[in-house]
Amino acid sequence: MQQAITDYYQRYGRGEPATSQITAYRIEDVVTDDAFPHVRRDFYKIKLLCDAQGILSYADQRVAVQGCALIFVNPLIPYAWERTAGHETGFACLFTEEFSTPQLRTTSLAQSALFRVGSVPVLFPPPAAVARLTHLFEQLLAELPSPYLHKYEVLRNYVQLLLHESMKLLPAVPVLGAAERLRAQFLDLLARQFPLASPYQPLLFKNANEFARQLAVHPNHLNKVLQATTGHTTTAHIAGRLIEEAQALLQHSNWSVAEIAHGLGFEHSSNFHAFFKKHTGHTPSKYRQRLALLS
């Protein structure tokens, strides 16, 4: 098993195209933390950790883990595992979005309750659930080397069962009224656009009309709901998030001001300058210079 993991790492770590969209392994078979290619960023991951003691960092969250935990990793969200004691056992399954079944991809897998931004990426299954999940992982591992012609359909079914068993562990979702549901949908749609990955992939939704169109409501209705449920207008929410992202990019990226402006959806840098100064009291260049002096 260790040799298979090493071979996989040596091959795909060099950027060669993957011949499979799924793999799995036992955690205890990995001798060192870097024995498996965690650099692969196109795989979703489900991990069942037992005897675990550590801290999971996921986006801006830090979750203490002790005992058995079920962890879900979205390839677009940074994560890290910091062991504080012992050495965990368990299983890991990695698969691409393309591998998952059409039933699981009625919406993007990244927006499912297990993997979406803002959800809790760790569940703590009771012993009975650990036993069921362990059985499924064992069955999946046994099927991987099978010569059976349709084994990938079988593997998809095991992944689907793993996800369904996991979703059974999610807390009950409260029933939301129409206004609360629209508020949640807007805030989720807004949050999903960040952080920007490239200045050459600008925001899809930049103003209140575009958000309202995507949510299939009138702009005035969206604005009224947001004012009633959050105390802020649609435009204020968008502007606040744009400023937050602009400040982060000015501080942590080497993008030019023009590139940041383009990525944030401004057609002209001058419009971005005026927008940024209106909300912060500084031009983007002056803001970046001040940060450089303070560092």
Side-chain angles (χ1 to χ4, degrees), residues 60-277:
D60 59 351
Q61 302 182 58
R62 283 174 60 84
V63 182
V65 175
Q66 187 151 5
C68 286
L70 198 55
I71 296 174
F72 307 91
V73 179
N74 180 330
L76 300 179
I77 303 174
Y79 82 103
W81 170 251
E82 177 187 348
R83 184 183 299 113
T84 55
H87 201 295
E88 57 275 5
T89 61
F91 305 87
C93 176
L94 291 75
F95 59 95
T96 63
E97 176 120 24
E98 291 73 23
F99 181 81
S100 60
T101 64
Q103 290 86 350
L104 292 174
R105 285 190 281 118
T106 52
T107 59
S108 169
L109 193 60
Q111 300 310 315
S112 75
L114 298 173
F115 293 100
R116 67 169 169 248
V117 176
S119 64
V120 178
V122 183
L123 297 173
F124 298 98
V130 171
R132 292 194 300 271
L133 291 162
T134 296
H135 177 70
L136 289 172
F137 274 111
E138 292 281 9
Q139 294 290 94
L140 192 153
L141 281 172
E143 191 64 38
L144 273 172
S146 166
Y148 178 50
L149 182 62
H150 304 292
K151 78 171 182 179
Y152 287 104
E153 291 305 314
V154 177
L155 292 171
R156 283 189 182 91
N157 288 334
Y158 283 132
V159 170
Q160 188 170 23
L161 286 170
L162 282 171
L163 293 173
H164 280 300
E165 284 292 339
S166 302
M167 286 189 283
K168 291 177 185 178
L169 302 172
L170 292 172
V173 178
V175 178
L176 299 178
E180 286 295 325
R181 186 163 58 250
L182 180 59
R183 175 194 63 81
Q185 289 172 335
F186 166 77
L187 293 176
D188 183 62
L189 188 60
L190 178 61
R192 266 194 263 157
Q193 299 200 100
F194 304 97
L196 292 183
S198 165
Y200 308 108
Q201 294 179 335
L203 299 178
L204 293 175
F205 313 114
K206 301 177 287 295
N207 56 52
N209 288 337
E210 291 175 351
F211 276 95
R213 189 179 306 116
Q214 181 65 18
L215 295 169
V217 296
H218 193 279
N220 291 345
H221 176 64
L222 176 61
N223 194 59
K224 182 179 179 180
V225 165
L226 290 175
Q227 282 189 306
T229 58
T230 71
H232 300 286
T233 65
T234 311
T235 300
H237 279 287
I238 297 170
R241 194 60 186 84
L242 288 175
I243 288 296
E244 183 180 332
E245 185 69 7
Q247 290 174 323
L249 290 170
L250 288 167
Q251 181 173 4
H252 300 294
S253 81
N254 59 0
W255 299 5
S256 68
V257 171
E259 287 174 327
I260 294 173
H262 182 263
L264 292 175
F266 292 87
E267 292 186 8
H268 304 289
S269 294
S270 58
N271 294 340
F272 174 59
H273 276 257
F275 171 82
F276 192 86
K277 186 171 183 179

Side-chain angles (χ1 to χ4, degrees), residues 36-66:
F36 198 81
H38 296 290
V39 293
R40 294 285 296 183
R41 291 302 182 190
D42 50 348
F43 279 81
Y44 289 85
K45 301 180 182 72
I46 308 172
K47 290 186 175 183
L48 176 63
L49 301 184
C50 290
D51 306 313
Q53 296 182 64
I55 303 293
L56 179 76
S57 299
Y58 187 91
D60 59 351
Q61 302 182 58
R62 283 174 60 84
V63 182
V65 175
Q66 187 151 5

